[in-house]
Every structure is written in C-alpha cells, then in structure tokens.
Amino acid sequence: IAGITQAPTSQILAAGRRMTLRCTQDMRHNAMYWYRQDLGLGLRLIHYSNTAGTTGKGEVPDGYSVSRANTDDFPLTLASAVPSQTSVYFCASSAGQGSSYEQYFGPGTRLTVT
Amino acid sequence: GQNIDQPTEMTATEGAIVQINCTYQTSGFNGLFWYQQHAGEAPTFLSYNVLDGLEEKGRFSSFLSRSKGYSYLLLKELQMKDSASYLCAVEDSNYQLIWGAGTKLIIKP
C-alpha cells in the first residue's frame, strides 16, 4: 500500500512555464489538500477538495489551479510559474473533513522556479 | 488575523524530557493537532486534542487549554530519533488547518 504518491520528486522550472504536480492516493480518502512549505513559515493551504468533483480555495490560491475528477487523483497546476512559487509542495488526504480526521502527507515535490 | 506561535528551535539531551509550547489565536477552534516532521520528509500525525486536558500516547503527551489558547507537546525519555521539527496546527471554524512554523528539536547525546 503506497498511501500518497507525488510526482515529480523535484523539478527546476523556467519562469513562465506551465507545470502540473501530480498526487495520487490509494486510501479512498474523500478529502485532499495541497500545501506549500517555505522556510520559516508554516504549511500554507493552496487548494482543497472535500470530495470528488468539488474544490475550494485555501489561504494562498493565486497562480494555482486544481481539479478532482475522481477520488484518487488531485493534480495541482501552475499556469505560468514565477520565482515566488519556489517551494516544497505537499499533497495530503484525510478520510473526511473536520475534527479528528488526521491528514496523511505525500513525500513532497521540491520545485525551483528560475 | 490567525496566528500560531511556537519556539523556533529547542535543544535537549538524550534521555531527558522536553516541553514544546504552542499558543494560538484563530477564527474558531475545532481541534489542535501535533505533527512530527523529520528533515526532508513529510509531516506525520502525532496527536489530536479537542477537549481541555492531557492526552497521553506512549512517550508523547499533548495538553490543551482552550481558554488560554495554549497547548504543549511533552516528549519523555528522549531518543536521538526524536530530532525533528514539531508542527502545531489548529482547525479553524472553516475546518481548515492553520499551521505554526514548527519547532526544530535538536537532541544531544
């Protein structure tokens, strides 16, 4: 059982390019999340999905988009990358939304925008 | 605004006890989580508190006081493998997690 997988592990991207970060979970979790983690800052929520077919904006959604066509996959797209999007990106999932549902995290994607 | 405060870094000795504090100000409160994150790895769940008091789980315990907006994570019998960052997160009224920047714990022999 893999849990949550993310691809790629790391990427160097030229500014202005389009990039999709992939996230797949095999736990049949309803809720999925995308976070970015920057040095000295806490994890910040980019977008989330409470169930397949629905998505919502988190704290820092600008420049990012997501889709949730099925339960397992939750890709994150940067339409036109900028250097400030250099970060470590974590995908996470939970069985449901709300208290007591712990989140399970993927291994992360380290993205550098030059 | 929403704010979670934790010390940036702490140092402790192998075999000792350490307490990591977290204070929070959030729009609503639906629970508080502690996660552990080793360098270069993903966060992993440690504990969850929604009621005031102490929750014990092996060598780790977590305490919550909702009236004070305060929690702590207590680690006993420290081992070298406990060297990691410890993240405090509060679930707000929108059921979203607000995360602290984390406390880097350094364990010395």
Side-chain angles (χ1 to χ4, degrees), chain A residues 52-67:
Chain A
T54 69
T55 62
K57 294 181 179 181
E59 179 186 356
V60 288
D62 293 344
Y64 306 95
S65 64
V66 293
S67 61

Side-chain angles (χ1 to χ4, degrees), chain B residues 41-70:
Chain B
E41 297 184 7
T44 55
F45 171 79
L46 284 178
S47 69
Y48 168 73
N49 294 70
V50 65
L51 300 176
D52 288 352
L54 189 68
E55 293 281 344
E56 297 186 79
K57 190 184 293 186
R59 293 190 299 114
F60 292 8
S61 302
S62 56
F63 172 83
L64 174 67
S65 169
R66 290 173 297 172
S67 63
K68 296 182 179 178
Y70 168 70

Side-chain angles (χ1 to χ4, degrees), chain A residues 31 33 94-103, chain B residues 28-33 35 45 47-51 64 66 89-97:
Chain A
Y33 314 85
S94 61
Q97 184 200 30
S99 302
S100 85
Y101 287 113
E102 66 180 272
Q103 294 185 12
Chain B
F29 178 86
N30 283 315
L32 186 144
F33 294 81
Y35 281 75
F45 171 79
S47 69
Y48 168 73
N49 294 70
V50 65
L51 300 176
L64 174 67
R66 290 173 297 172
V90 172
E91 189 170 273
D92 69 8
S93 55
N94 293 319
Y95 300 104
Q96 292 184 5
L97 287 184

Side-chain angles (χ1 to χ4, degrees), chain A residues 20-74:
Chain A
T20 294
L21 308 184
R22 300 184 298 278
C23 174
T24 301
Q25 53 105 355
D26 63 2
M27 297 177 282
R28 308 303 294 170
H29 283 173
N30 285 319
M32 297 188 74
Y33 314 85
W34 273 106
Y35 292 97
R36 59 177 291 173
Q37 187 174 40
D38 302 292
L39 197 63
L41 299 177
L43 288 160
R44 290 183 292 169
L45 182 65
I46 304 171
H47 285 286
Y48 65 93
S49 169
N50 291 331
T51 188
T54 69
T55 62
K57 294 181 179 181
E59 179 186 356
V60 288
D62 293 344
Y64 306 95
S65 64
V66 293
S67 61
R68 186 89 184 276
N70 56 60
T71 297
D72 299 343
D73 301 301
F74 191 44

Side-chain angles (χ1 to χ4, degrees), chain B residues 71-91:
Chain B
S71 173
Y72 68 73
L73 181 68
L74 192 71
L75 291 73
K76 304 175 185 176
E77 302 170 14
L78 286 170
Q79 302 174 10
M80 297 303 292
K81 67 178 182 179
D82 296 330
S83 292
S85 289
Y86 292 85
L87 314 181
C88 174
V90 172
E91 189 170 273

